[in-house]
Amino acid sequence: MSDPSTVRSGPDRTRRRAAIVVVARAVLIATGLVTAYYLLPLDERGTAGVSALLACGSAAVLLMFWWEVRAIVRSPHPRLRAVEALAATLPLFLVLFACGYYLMERFTPGSFSEPLTRTDALYFALTTFSTVGFGDITARSQAGRVLTMVQMAGGLLLVGVAARVLAGAVQMGLSRQRGRPSAQPPSRTDAGTRDPGAGP
């Protein structure tokens, strides 16, 4: 007879391993995005590149989010997959706007209260997203303020609507798991044994 604690430790070990994989993958994704932000040759882009970058980046955020929602529903660990989805989508969102701020200040000097390095632009994107807004860096030009407002609106959508969509996907994934028929041994009737009460 199998020990219940041994049976229970199997799923626990699998869940623990999945959690470690999710955390490692989330850290790698965030590190990769920030590294790419610092290494990409953004200085070679012109002012037209800002609009193209933001348009392509926004499409990438939406596509990644849509793909992650589908993956959550099908995942054996939907809650963990939702954490990974947020860990992938949020850095991409912040890096996208940091690129926009950096390019805007570089090709339209005076758009912000001080010249922005890549670190300054990422810092401004993060403080804007977190609604801290220390006021040490502010948008001065109309274009800079519009871009900042777009990030504010996108951040609210990401926190509100996207979080709700992810929560719904997790519930769908859990319901899908509960709806799977459990493997049961075939009954004697299914195995071909006649029911004694059945007619000839």
Side-chain angles (χ1 to χ4, degrees):
M1 195 169 178
S2 60
D3 184 4
S5 63
T6 307
V7 175
R8 214 177 299 118
S9 67
D12 289 345
R13 201 178 301 120
T14 304
R15 205 174 296 117
R16 210 176 302 123
R17 195 180 302 123
I20 292 170
V21 169
V22 163
V23 170
R25 208 154 42 192
V27 170
L28 284 173
I29 289 170
T31 304
L33 285 168
V34 174
T35 303
Y37 167 70
Y38 278 100
L39 294 180
L40 282 175
L42 296 174
D43 299 342
E44 298 174 5
R45 295 176 179 270
T47 49
V50 178
S51 300
L53 177 75
L54 290 173
C56 294
S58 300
V61 170
L62 290 173
L63 281 172
M64 177 182 280
F65 185 75
W66 174 77
W67 182 81
E68 290 287 359
V69 167
R70 286 171 58 89
I72 289 167
V73 174
R74 298 175 181 180
S75 173
H77 306 285
R79 290 190 184 95
L80 292 175
R81 193 67 199 228
V83 171
E84 183 183 344
L86 278 177
T89 307
L90 182 57
L92 180 58
F93 178 81
L94 292 173
V95 164
L96 169 66
F97 279 94
C99 288
Y101 298 137
Y102 175 76
L103 289 172
M104 184 173 288
E105 175 59 31
R106 181 164 183 79
F107 295 106
T108 313
S111 294
F112 295 88
S113 54
E114 61 180 72
L116 299 182
T117 63
R118 295 193 191 213
T119 302
D120 293 333
L122 187 57
Y123 163 80
F124 179 68
L126 185 55
T127 56
T128 301
F129 176 79
S130 63
T131 68
V132 174
F134 292 117
D136 49 350
I137 300 175
T138 56
R140 283 185 171 171
S141 69
Q142 294 297 303
R145 289 176 177 176
V146 167
L147 184 58
T148 306
M149 287 189 291
V150 170
Q151 189 201 335
M152 290 175 182
L156 290 173
L157 287 172
L158 190 62
V159 170
V161 177
R164 180 165 292 194
V165 170
L166 289 178
V170 168
Q171 289 303 317
M172 284 178 64
L174 293 173
S175 300
R176 194 164 175 263
Q177 284 182 357
R178 284 189 222 106
R180 285 179 187 158
S182 58
Q184 295 177 351
S187 64
R188 292 179 60 186
T189 306
D190 292 341
T193 305
R194 285 183 56 188
D195 186 355

